[in-house]
């Protein structure tokens, strides 16, 4: 897997594996997916964001959440990952931010080590959860 990092709306998105994306989706976090050969967050908007909380009426239990993620990815790949130009599979992106490994706060000049964690501020952006489209 190639490690890519993109910026959109003040958020940093890092490419993650399908297993990590599945786990994030099951925990109620927002995951962006895009065909592997296309760059996400371009004016054409090839990426799609999915969130378990937005699809709560389709999910009955944890097994349903796992099947729901697999069905979403399979449908996305069937319709969007159709040839060698777009790519044959989906790539997944999570919004991340750097934090101090010891305090959990913002990194400073005296920071010895930093880690990346999910940027929970992204969940508070209603326009971004709808795929970047605002219906106002």
């Amino acid at each position: 897997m190639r490690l890519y990092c993109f910026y959109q709306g003040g958020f940093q998105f890092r490419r993650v594996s399908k297993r990590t994306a599945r786990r994030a989706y099951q925990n109620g976090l927002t995951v962006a997916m895009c065909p592997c050969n296309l760059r996400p967050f371009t004016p054409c908007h090839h990426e799609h964001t999915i969130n378990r909380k937005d699809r709560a009426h389709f999910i009955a239990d944890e097994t349903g959440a796992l099947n729901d993620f697999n069905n979403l990815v399979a449908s996305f790949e069937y319709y969007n990952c159709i040839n060698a130009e777009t790519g044959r599979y989906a790539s997944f992106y999570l919004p991340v931010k750097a934090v101090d490994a010891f305090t959990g706060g913002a990194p400073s000049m005296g920071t010895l080590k930093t880690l990346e964690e999910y940027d929970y501020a992204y969940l508070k952006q209603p326009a971004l959860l709808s795929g970047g489209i605002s219906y106002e």
Side-chain angles (χ1 to χ4, degrees):
M1 176 180 77
R2 296 181 181 155
L3 296 178
Y4 290 123
C5 181
F6 296 102
Y7 294 90
Q8 170 68 19
F11 295 100
Q12 176 185 1
F13 287 83
R14 179 144 331 253
R15 187 171 177 179
V16 296
S17 66
K18 185 175 184 177
R19 180 179 180 183
T20 303
R22 182 183 294 120
R23 191 72 50 108
Y25 179 81
Q26 287 176 338
N27 290 331
L29 304 177
T30 301
V31 178
M33 59 181 170
C34 181
C36 64
N37 288 346
L38 299 179
R39 181 179 173 158
F41 312 113
T42 59
C44 298
H45 289 288
H46 297 289
E47 76 281 347
H48 296 278
T49 55
I50 56 174
N51 187 317
R52 177 181 175 180
K53 293 176 184 174
D54 293 340
R55 301 178 51 81
H57 56 285
F58 293 118
I59 301 170
D61 56 1
E62 292 301 317
T63 304
L66 176 65
N67 292 337
D68 186 52
F69 179 82
N70 292 337
N71 291 338
L72 284 172
V73 172
S75 297
F76 178 82
E77 288 177 346
Y78 180 79
Y79 289 107
N80 296 304
C81 305
I82 54 175
N83 56 28
E85 184 177 356
T86 61
R88 301 281 183 190
Y89 58 92
S91 58
F92 302 94
Y93 298 88
L94 291 177
V96 295
K97 67 177 181 177
V99 296
D100 188 340
F102 301 106
T103 64
S108 64
M109 293 299 291
T111 301
L112 298 175
K113 184 178 180 184
T114 60
L115 299 173
E116 287 186 344
E117 72 173 18
Y118 188 85
D119 192 355
Y120 290 97
Y122 186 73
L123 291 175
K124 298 175 185 171
Q125 302 291 325
L128 294 175
L129 292 178
S130 62
I133 302 170
S134 178
Y135 296 104
E136 298 176 17

